[in-house]
Amino acid sequence: DAAIHAIFHAYGDRGDQVLTTTPTFGYYTPCAQMQGMKILQLPYEGIKFEFPIEKISAALLEHKPKLLLICNPNNPTGTYLDLRQLSALESVIADIKGILIIDEAYANLVVGSWDAIPIAQNGNTVLLRSMTKDYSLTGILCLLFQEEQHLKPKCHEFYVTYFTNSQKVPPVFHHQNLQSLAAVHLGE
């Protein structure tokens, strides 16, 4: 939740729009509201909760939101987008100069999951992961932000102060470090 909160503080301004789906993780809405953002929510389709990719793509072009927020797999529907679908959305959001946020808190619980780090390295994407879900490390909060130079202001400027042990650490991670971290994560 702290990373989500920091992202909205870093990139969301009063009057900006955020595009997402419904139903989805409940913390996105209050974070957008705290920033005074307008929330555009498109419903999943049918009884299988299929992702409305055509409607999302059309809404991106029509409304040009600042943020596109995708929970993948979605909480609570379990809908999971593949690399092709997310790459297509990343391309559209890049064309309108927006930011794609991929919340992968539950990705490691998906059979056949794939790694979104290549999408995140395109420069307009923020990738969220959860050490609690990935490694069963409850009680440990570690926020690692890999951001491109043009994504200003930086998330590390908005560290969460309501944790008694929170510290602001200068950014030290670059693409090489992120790739090394990914290699460790993937067991390479």
Side-chain angles (χ1 to χ4, degrees), residues 93-130:
I93 196 80
D95 288 344
I96 65 167
K97 306 288 190 258
I99 299 169
L100 172 62
I101 302 164
I102 306 171
D103 184 347
E104 289 193 316
Y106 293 97
N108 282 339
L109 303 177
V110 174
V111 174
S113 66
W114 52 274
D115 196 343
I117 286 179
I119 292 176
Q121 291 176 333
N122 289 340
N124 66 321
T125 302
V126 177
L127 183 60
L128 298 171
R129 294 199 172 152
S130 171

Side-chain angles (χ1 to χ4, degrees), residues 4-13 15-21 28 31-32 35 37-41 56 59-60 63-70 89 93 96-102 124-126 151-152 155:
I4 295 166
H5 189 77
I7 287 167
F8 276 92
H9 272 282
Y11 303 124
D13 292 317
D16 285 346
Q17 296 181 15
V18 58
L19 176 60
T20 192
T21 54
Y28 304 145
C31 286
Q35 292 305 111
M37 298 181 76
K38 296 177 186 172
I39 305 163
L40 305 171
Q41 294 180 313
I56 292 282
L60 286 170
H63 300 285
K64 297 181 179 24
K66 176 93 172 261
L67 305 175
L68 171 60
L69 183 54
I70 304 294
L89 291 174
I93 196 80
I96 65 167
K97 306 288 190 258
I99 299 169
L100 172 62
I101 302 164
I102 306 171
N124 66 321
T125 302
V126 177
L151 294 180
K152 301 280 185 178
C155 280

Side-chain angles (χ1 to χ4, degrees), residues 61-90:
L61 295 173
E62 179 181 347
H63 300 285
K64 297 181 179 24
K66 176 93 172 261
L67 305 175
L68 171 60
L69 183 54
I70 304 294
C71 187
N72 197 45
N74 187 49
N75 172 6
T77 66
T79 306
Y80 189 63
L81 302 181
D82 62 30
L83 176 61
R84 179 188 52 79
Q85 292 169 307
L86 271 178
S87 292
L89 291 174
E90 185 275 331

